[in-house]
Amino acid sequence: MKFCHKCGAQCEDGAKFCKQCGAALADVNANQSQQTYEVPRQAQYTSADTNNSQNAYGNQNQYGGPAGGMNQRFPGIQERNIAIAVILSIVTCGLYGIYWMIKLNDEVNQICGDTQATGGGLVFLFTLITCGIYGWYWMYKMGEKCDQIKGVNGSSGILYLILGIFGFGIVSYCLMQDTINKAIM
């Protein structure tokens, strides 16, 4: 049996994510079962918290979604509206597209549990230095990771690469974002 390094919950041997907190179990090994775990302390609940969208116990906000708009499986990753992201990328002459690429990279790596992968800022820097060639490689690798997230043995990497080469990289971004949105639901 595996134990989650974040919350200490008991997980199945083949599990990639903790059923309790959603933390990646990729770097959990058999020796960790002997360690002690520190469970995060909850903040004190006060009556002032009842009107806020998020309280100390993770209760739902006034709109019916998870408190704070965050999902429970992958903290820090929010669902992103693809149409708005495309429009913002066009309106800002690509500046939002750079931010979107960095976030896509970091979020896909977090969902895959790949903590040793290149960060989004470095991906942008390498793409800039190589005049876009590294960006094509990045799209190919993100396609493989998206297939891993979906649990299929597909060829999304090749699709993303071809789209990037022919100038439709933003379509690859949309497909990556759709994979992320489905994974965090």
Side-chain angles (χ1 to χ4, degrees):
M1 279 293 190
K2 288 183 181 180
F3 291 90
C4 177
H5 66 282
K6 186 174 180 183
C7 70
Q10 192 173 12
C11 303
E12 296 175 9
D13 285 334
K16 292 186 179 189
F17 301 102
C18 175
K19 290 182 181 178
Q20 290 293 106
C21 69
L25 298 174
D27 48 7
V28 175
N29 59 34
N31 295 334
Q32 280 188 315
S33 63
Q34 298 172 355
Q35 295 178 355
T36 59
Y37 297 94
E38 182 178 319
V39 178
R41 302 181 97 204
Q42 296 282 349
Q44 289 291 354
Y45 179 80
T46 64
S47 60
D49 289 327
T50 57
N51 294 329
N52 295 338
S53 63
Q54 181 177 5
N55 65 33
Y57 296 97
N59 291 338
Q60 299 219 342
N61 64 19
Q62 60 187 355
Y63 303 108
M70 298 287 182
N71 65 73
Q72 299 299 322
R73 283 185 55 194
F74 302 104
I77 299 179
Q78 291 181 320
E79 185 177 353
R80 188 173 287 112
N81 186 312
I82 296 170
I84 292 175
V86 170
I87 291 169
L88 284 173
S89 296
I90 293 168
V91 169
T92 61
C93 300
L95 291 177
Y96 185 82
I98 294 168
Y99 167 77
W100 192 16
M101 179 179 95
I102 292 169
K103 293 300 284 183
L104 284 171
N105 181 76
D106 294 341
E107 291 172 356
V108 166
N109 287 337
Q110 182 181 350
I111 293 171
C112 286
D114 193 0
T115 57
Q116 301 299 321
T118 306
L122 284 177
V123 167
F124 171 68
L125 181 64
F126 294 154
T127 303
L128 191 63
I129 290 171
T130 62
C131 299
I133 295 171
Y134 186 83
W136 294 341
Y137 168 75
W138 173 78
M139 284 186 195
Y140 176 77
K141 294 307 281 182
M142 286 293 111
E144 289 180 347
K145 289 182 180 184
C146 285
D147 284 342
Q148 179 185 348
I149 291 169
K150 294 177 200 172
V152 298
N153 190 12
S155 56
S156 295
I158 294 170
L159 172 66
Y160 294 178
L161 174 63
I162 292 170
L163 287 169
I165 289 172
F166 287 104
F168 296 104
I170 198 159
V171 176
S172 297
Y173 288 16
C174 294
L175 294 171
M176 288 179 223
Q177 188 63 56
D178 182 57
T179 301
I180 292 170
N181 288 348
K182 288 178 180 174
I184 64 174
M185 294 179 107

